[in-house]
Amino acid sequence: MTIAPELQFCLLTEPLIRYRRASDGKTVCANLPELFVALAADEVRDYPALRPHQRHPWHAFLVQLAAIALHKAKRTAAFETTQEWRDVLLALTPDDPDGAAWCLVSPPNRPALLQAAVVGESVSDWKSESFAADEIDMLVTSKNHDLKGSRARRSQPEDWLFALLSLQTQEGFLGAGNYGISRMNGGFASKPGVGVAAAGFPGGRWMRDIAALLKRRDQTVKEHDLQGDDGLALVWLAPWDGLDSLLFSKLDPFYIEICRRIRLRCVDGEIMSVGAGSKAARIAAKKLNGLTGDAWTPIDVEGGKALTITANGFTYKLVSELMFSGKYQAPAAQHFDHSTNGDSLVFVTQGVTRGKGETKGYHERRVPVSPKVQGLLKKNQKADLELIAGQRITAISEMRGLLRYALVVLFESGDVKDRRQANKVHEAKVSKFSAPFEEAEDARFFSDLYEEIEAADPSAQRLGWFLGLVERAEAILKMAFDAGPRNGIQKYRAQSAALSRFHGGLRSDKFRIPDLVNYYRQQTAKHQEETSDHA
């Protein structure tokens, strides 16, 4: 394969991607076929230049690309040699046998990697210029909300690759002419990455997700009315004048999309970019609400729309719903039927929260899956898991509510005439103590949950957790004493009233943790009986 001089930075032949080798930690520079061979051998530890918010786009790109190539080759097993991968990838671009579509820089009238060919105009007229890779990245970096932009002034080709991929496969709407991707629920939504990974290095997850995509390919075509073998898989291969949208029904189920008109150029040996707006989104999919068959996007069944990540990120409540409830339809990468007994698995959630002209953080959570839970999920037996998790979520909510009330009593010096008004007055102080309580429970939620599921006596384990919840909430309340009244009898009255409110609430008929209510009533009855016998 000979690369013409006007074609630069070809991923099929040039070692542009750095990874750290799993066996010895040594940094290796590889081209894309070499990287695929290393992933298949599980020899990739990580990518030094990859930023956290770029992790899922990069993983998804590598999985989709390999799945497209393997399907075209009519096989499911990964190729063993670099040459085999190079040949099958090049075969995906028959109109560009010289590799132009795999180069970061090619003539504007031809496709380049993740860049559509320009139709009937000169890119020299495009006014949006960037000289640092992170300037073209999605909003999280380009507008300085979460990371400072324009830091990568000495950007390497791989920096441009990762930034370009981030922009083209997870960006949303950003004003007129700047449309977002099809694989999310609206222009101000977010693209989640939810799946199951074998504990260890990226290669295991890569192989697992490829198998998941290939297994469900026909089902995805049927459910989403996509094209079969003749669908457009690499969207950047279609020329784009910025005026028209591609029909969703003409796409391959594994399609890798682009959403912006952008071209990379090489000036004096350095890469820079130019961009222009468009009159329409690249893919006509607005009415789909993100229901595109994406392998990592859960679907809100009742709402009929793709999951959108809020500013709260992947809380224990949301992750519980994603793992155990029927509220969300699990994407292909989340299914457990690609696992064998004994596998050490991790539930992975990733994504950037977007809004109107802003981002609200990158969120990532990895939750180990215990052996018994794995077995139940593999058999799709979620009912018991949903029930147990739901009981604990309710318990945490109830305990936080009781803690908040006790804190209000404390800050009101033990005298609360109007609870609602008192809540408003002391909201900031109350939240200062009650929020960390829930955050701590969030952090330990799944490890505690698995102890009950795996226990020989689940009831005893559950009661022990309830009692621990009480202890941790009471400890927070006592920590708040220093922030309450400090003078004489007022101090002791406030603290005593707060503790009384807290312990009284645990025994109330209105308290929605019946196991605790019954336990404390039994303890009270037992104490009264012992006192009576002693008398």
Side-chain angles (χ1 to χ4, degrees):
M1 177 179 173
T2 302
I3 303 296
E6 65 271 17
L7 305 180
Q8 296 175 277
F9 310 113
C10 180
L11 260 66
L12 296 186
T13 58
E14 297 184 50
L16 304 177
I17 307 163
R18 288 181 300 146
Y19 70 87
R20 274 191 282 257
R21 199 156 51 199
S23 56
D24 56 13
K26 181 180 178 181
T27 298
V28 178
C29 296
N31 56 42
L32 194 56
E34 290 169 342
L35 178 61
F36 279 178
V37 171
L39 284 167
D42 206 15
E43 265 294 297
V44 177
R45 176 182 294 182
D46 57 23
Y47 305 93
L50 193 67
R51 304 175 106 176
H53 70 281
Q54 299 168 341
R55 288 171 186 159
H56 177 65
W58 180 236
H59 170 73
F61 172 76
L62 296 177
V63 170
Q64 290 168 285
L65 191 55
I68 292 167
L70 290 172
H71 175 73
K72 293 291 186 182
K74 302 186 185 303
R75 59 182 288 157
T76 57
F79 292 103
E80 297 179 356
T81 69
T82 298
Q83 190 58 50
E84 287 176 305
W85 275 116
R86 183 175 293 116
D87 290 343
V88 75
L89 290 173
L90 190 60
L92 298 179
T93 58
D95 294 335
D96 300 282
D98 57 357
W102 300 100
C103 294
L104 291 178
V105 176
S106 74
N109 63 342
R110 301 191 62 192
L113 185 72
L114 297 165
Q115 305 158 69
V118 177
V119 179
E121 58 184 313
S122 171
V123 297
S124 61
D125 297 329
W126 290 9
K127 297 181 180 180
S128 180
E129 296 184 342
S130 298
F131 297 90
D134 55 356
E135 288 183 327
I136 69 165
D137 206 332
M138 68 171 300
L139 189 61
V140 66
T141 56
S142 66
K143 294 299 180 183
N144 289 337
H145 287 292
D146 295 308
L147 297 173
K148 293 299 181 183
S150 300
R151 296 179 64 190
R153 286 292 179 176
R154 294 185 177 273
S155 302
Q156 298 301 310
E158 66 176 340
D159 298 317
W160 286 99
L161 167 63
F162 295 147
L164 182 64
L165 184 64
S166 178
L167 170 73
Q168 297 286 44
T169 64
Q170 68 171 352
E171 183 60 289
F173 179 74
L174 194 60
N178 296 299
Y179 294 91
I181 63 171
S182 64
R183 292 193 185 273
M184 65 184 187
N185 178 32
F188 301 116
S190 51
K191 186 178 187 300
V194 175
V196 177
F201 300 124
R205 186 184 180 197
W206 180 72
M207 293 283 286
R208 192 178 186 283
D209 284 0
I210 290 172
L213 264 69
L214 292 173
K215 180 176 181 178
R216 289 172 174 78
R217 179 183 172 87
D218 292 342
Q219 179 181 339
T220 303
V221 169
K222 182 177 179 180
E223 290 180 354
H224 297 276
D225 194 26
L226 287 157
Q227 196 77 14
D229 292 344
D230 297 326
L232 178 63
L234 308 180
V235 174
W236 67 89
L237 297 183
W240 187 16
D241 59 7
L243 300 177
D244 300 315
S245 300
L246 294 170
L247 293 177
F248 180 78
S249 60
K250 299 298 183 181
L251 300 178
D252 184 274
F254 303 156
Y255 73 93
I256 302 174
E257 67 181 311
I258 61 172
C259 64
R260 299 290 173 83
R261 301 179 72 209
I262 189 169
R263 295 292 304 205
L264 300 187
R265 306 175 69 184
C266 191
V267 180
D268 296 329
E270 298 289 336
I271 298 178
M272 55 90 66
S273 72
V274 293
S278 62
K279 298 294 184 181
R282 187 63 187 118
I283 297 171
K286 183 177 181 179
K287 295 181 179 180
L288 297 178
N289 297 326
L291 275 65
T292 64
D294 181 64
W296 299 272
T297 299
I299 301 302
D300 181 338
V301 177
E302 183 177 348
K305 57 186 179 181
L307 168 69
T308 293
I309 309 163
T310 70
N312 294 325
F314 295 102
T315 64
Y316 67 102
K317 298 176 185 177
L318 176 56
V319 174
S320 293
E321 289 179 337
L322 292 172
M323 290 181 71
F324 308 135
S325 81
K327 180 177 180 179
Y328 291 98
Q329 178 183 326
Q334 187 183 326
H335 286 261
F336 284 77
D337 53 1
H338 305 287
S339 309
T340 56
N341 293 333
D343 284 353
S344 181
L345 299 180
V346 179
F347 187 71
V348 181
T349 57
Q350 300 167 300
V352 176
T353 299
R354 299 186 67 262
K356 294 184 178 182
E358 63 177 348
T359 56
K360 298 179 180 179
Y362 170 72
H363 305 280
E364 179 171 332
R365 186 166 189 167
R366 294 172 180 264
V367 178
V369 184
S370 75
K372 187 172 182 179
V373 171
Q374 177 183 329
L376 291 171
L377 292 175
K378 189 175 181 180
K379 297 174 184 177
N380 201 29
Q381 297 177 352
K382 295 183 177 182
D384 289 344
L385 298 173
E386 183 179 7
L387 176 63
I388 297 170
Q391 289 174 339
R392 288 177 174 243
I393 290 171
T394 298
I396 294 171
S397 176
E398 282 291 290
M399 194 62 66
R400 184 182 180 185
L402 180 57
L403 174 60
R404 287 183 64 89
Y405 190 13
L407 288 166
V408 169
V409 172
L410 173 69
F411 297 137
E412 281 285 289
S413 301
D415 185 15
V416 179
K417 294 184 176 63
D418 185 337
R419 180 177 175 181
R420 182 175 297 179
Q421 180 61 30
N423 264 319
K424 291 181 179 179
V425 172
H426 300 290
E427 183 176 0
K429 291 176 70 175
V430 168
S431 295
K432 179 180 178 182
F433 292 97
S434 62
F437 166 75
E438 187 167 20
E439 289 170 2
E441 295 306 316
D442 186 320
R444 61 182 296 159
F445 182 84
F446 290 98
S447 58
D448 286 354
L449 175 67
Y450 294 160
E451 286 181 1
E452 177 180 339
I453 294 170
E454 301 282 346
D457 187 348
S459 296
Q461 188 69 37
R462 185 183 312 120
L463 178 58
W465 180 78
F466 284 143
L467 294 173
L469 194 66
V470 173
E471 291 177 1
R472 294 189 291 274
E474 185 172 355
I476 292 283
L477 176 60
K478 291 179 177 178
M479 284 176 56
F481 284 174
D482 286 342
R486 306 294 296 274
N487 296 326
I489 192 169
Q490 190 181 54
K491 166 185 175 182
Y492 298 110
R493 183 177 67 183
Q495 294 177 2
S496 176
L499 286 171
S500 177
R501 176 63 268 178
F502 181 77
H503 288 291
L506 295 172
R507 294 161 174 79
S508 170
D509 289 333
K510 296 180 180 180
F511 196 54
R512 292 191 302 161
I513 311 181
D515 287 7
L516 271 181
V517 174
N518 293 334
Y519 171 81
Y520 283 117
R521 287 180 176 175
Q522 291 171 7
Q523 292 299 304
T524 299
K526 182 179 179 181
H527 176 71
Q528 290 174 345
E529 183 179 340
E530 290 175 349
T531 303
S532 176
D533 291 343
H534 182 71

